[in-house]
Amino acid sequence: MSFDALTRMQQGLAALKADHLERRRLLLDGAQGAHATIDGQRVISFCSNDYLGLAADPALIQAAHAALDQCGVGAGAAHLISGHHRFHHEFEAAFAHFVGKPAALLFSTGYMANLGVLTALCNRHSEVFADKLNHASLVDAARLSGATFTRFRHRDLAQLEGQLESSTAPEKMIVSDLVFSMDGDSALVDALLDLAERYDAWLYLDDAHGFGVLGDGRGGLTERARTSDRVIYLATLGKAAGVSGAAVAAHASVIDWLLQKARSYVYTTASPPLLAACLLESLRQIEAGDARRATLRGRIVQLREGLASLKTGTLMPSDTPIQPLLIGANADAVRLSRSVLQRGLLVPAIRTPTVPAGTARLRITLSAAHSADDVAQLIAALHDLA
Ligand SMILES: *Cc1c(COP(=O)(O)O)cnc(C)c1O
């Protein structure tokens, strides 16, 4: 039986399809990796955030097996009831130590961490100042907090300063991706911190794409930001760390406050403790991961050099594993993505609303698990299709 609301929804779906905006899922068999079986086809995958190739690393698999035998599968309860396992606890301490912050709290996902932090630290008396290209979860979190939500043009700190100057909010928070997820460029961390200090604001930095990758693996924080009590740092753990979850690191009082007030921490079942055991191993791999990071940097340089003269699109400025190839129109990006897939290369087309209209792109992501030959194949295919 059809009814009006259902009909309207079906019209909405048809409109998405007509605008080339319909999203669909690819079906993965086997392990995540640079080479994967997706929709039944063997492909070289350039769309995973598994930047260090840890998602199916033997040491992590081994850690999962050992933890599984020891503690089973489910956590059974929320952290504040009886679900807080020693593995969770040890990971939080190890993570805080590694990133150079006094304390840390482990959330089940980055999305939940962002919701938790912003709603715990901001309320309707606060003002949140956000880069326009921040991740969707930070946008949702700011809205949910009830704070006045003010956005500044991407990396435009002059505009941000004007906004801070005219704000009368008693509590202020500057929020930014540290590495921007669809562009691959980075926040101006020390300049943001200068403004946070001048206008007495918190600075919340979401390093979903920098942790494990940038610097010595500790992510994109500068030394000043690492030691500043007003900087709250987020690493998500499903990307370079290869597992799942997210950790917030900050002053011990901030972490205590989150433990009391972050609803997406308090009112949810703890993640399976075996994942925390995997994360402990992942942290060891990241700490000892200079060789992986050097390989990754080599692939980034290879791709940028190889595509510098490309006719069909422009590689956006980025020195991170996120290397977007700017195309423009949705339909063109989708067509190019389909053509490279016919050659066994998986690169997703990213369209509105994920990126601004008219800036559809192929989002190429590189991993230490790619061989030089994998990257050479992508370069050759893109030149060939131009
Ligand atoms: C992926 C991502 C998140 C969400 O993290 P999940 O653990 O996948 O929920 C948050 N912020 C940014 C910038 C991201 O790229």
Side-chain angles (χ1 to χ4, degrees):
M1 274 294 266
S2 195
F3 50 95
D4 286 353
L6 181 61
T7 305
R8 283 193 299 277
M9 185 181 287
Q10 287 164 340
Q11 286 163 349
L13 287 169
L16 286 175
K17 201 165 195 167
D19 292 340
H20 303 279
L21 290 175
E22 186 193 37
R23 292 158 181 255
R24 60 181 207 93
R25 298 171 297 180
L26 302 172
L27 195 58
L28 174 76
D29 281 300
Q32 180 68 247
H35 295 245
T37 304
I38 291 185
D39 277 356
Q41 183 187 354
R42 266 320 264 178
V43 294
I44 307 174
S45 166
F46 292 97
C47 53
S48 163
N49 303 313
D50 179 24
Y51 302 124
L52 298 179
L54 288 174
D57 184 84
L60 271 71
I61 293 171
Q62 179 59 41
H65 279 301
L68 183 60
D69 289 339
Q70 201 182 323
C71 61
V73 179
H79 283 278
L80 294 175
I81 306 297
S82 65
H84 188 58
H85 193 277
R86 184 169 300 283
F87 288 144
H88 298 126
H89 207 66
E90 285 177 1
F91 176 75
E92 287 175 344
F95 177 84
H97 180 74
F98 182 53
V99 300
K101 287 279 183 192
L105 192 67
L106 178 63
F107 285 77
S108 294
T109 71
Y111 198 125
M112 291 170 75
N114 284 339
L115 291 189
V117 170
L118 268 78
T119 57
L121 274 79
C122 304
N123 58 35
R124 64 196 173 83
H125 303 297
S126 316
E127 186 163 354
V128 169
F129 302 86
D131 189 291
K132 275 199 176 153
L133 295 191
N134 278 354
H135 190 260
S137 58
L138 290 171
V139 176
D140 296 355
R143 293 204 173 117
L144 187 63
S145 75
T148 302
F149 185 38
T150 303
R151 303 217 274 176
F152 54 93
R153 281 183 298 272
H154 181 45
R155 303 204 324 163
D156 185 341
L157 301 195
Q159 186 182 34
L160 170 60
E161 174 147 33
Q163 293 167 343
L164 285 162
E165 203 162 22
S166 56
S167 172
T168 54
E171 289 277 341
K172 302 181 188 69
M173 180 183 273
I174 302 170
V175 177
S176 181
D177 280 22
L178 213 162
V179 172
F180 288 86
S181 53
M182 295 300 139
D183 293 58
D185 58 346
S186 300
L188 305 161
V189 173
D190 278 342
L192 286 169
L193 182 53
D194 285 339
L195 290 178
E197 284 171 353
R198 198 167 315 146
Y199 295 94
D200 192 21
W202 295 103
L203 175 58
Y204 183 46
L205 294 169
D206 175 343
D207 201 15
H209 298 278
F211 178 71
V213 172
L214 297 181
D216 54 5
R218 294 190 293 166
L221 282 188
T222 58
E223 274 321 297
R224 253 184 80 206
R226 208 177 291 289
T227 51
S228 168
D229 287 343
R230 63 176 73 245
V231 172
I232 303 170
Y233 178 75
L234 170 83
T236 70
L237 304 167
K239 290 170 180 157
V243 186
S244 179
V248 177
H251 188 284
S253 300
V254 174
I255 298 304
D256 276 349
W257 182 255
L258 291 175
L259 183 60
Q260 308 302 321
K261 298 285 185 182
R263 294 169 65 87
S264 60
Y265 182 80
V266 175
Y267 297 106
T268 193
T269 301
S271 60
L274 75 91
L275 294 182
C278 292
L279 284 169
L280 278 161
E281 180 56 36
S282 170
L283 205 54
R284 283 191 278 275
Q285 298 290 331
I286 287 171
E287 267 191 91
D290 285 345
R292 288 181 201 262
R293 282 183 288 274
T295 303
L296 178 57
R297 270 193 298 279
R299 302 292 174 261
I300 294 170
V301 170
Q302 183 192 354
L303 184 85
R304 292 199 70 84
E305 287 176 359
L307 294 183
S309 63
L310 188 69
K311 299 283 191 301
T312 34
T314 316
L315 213 47
M316 294 169 65
S318 159
D319 52 11
T320 68
I322 303 168
Q323 293 289 328
L325 185 66
L326 187 63
I327 304 296
N330 290 336
D332 293 339
V334 171
R335 200 175 309 118
L336 186 56
S337 174
R338 289 210 180 113
S339 303
V340 292
L341 182 58
Q342 280 165 4
R343 298 169 183 229
L345 305 163
L346 182 61
V347 190
I350 307 287
R351 298 156 282 175
T352 50
T354 308
V355 295
T359 69
R361 63 200 68 175
L362 294 197
R363 181 175 180 269
I364 304 166
T365 54
L366 295 172
S367 166
H370 285 124
S371 67
D373 183 59
D374 293 338
V375 177
Q377 283 190 48
L378 178 61
I379 293 168
L382 286 168
H383 280 291
D384 207 32
L385 289 163

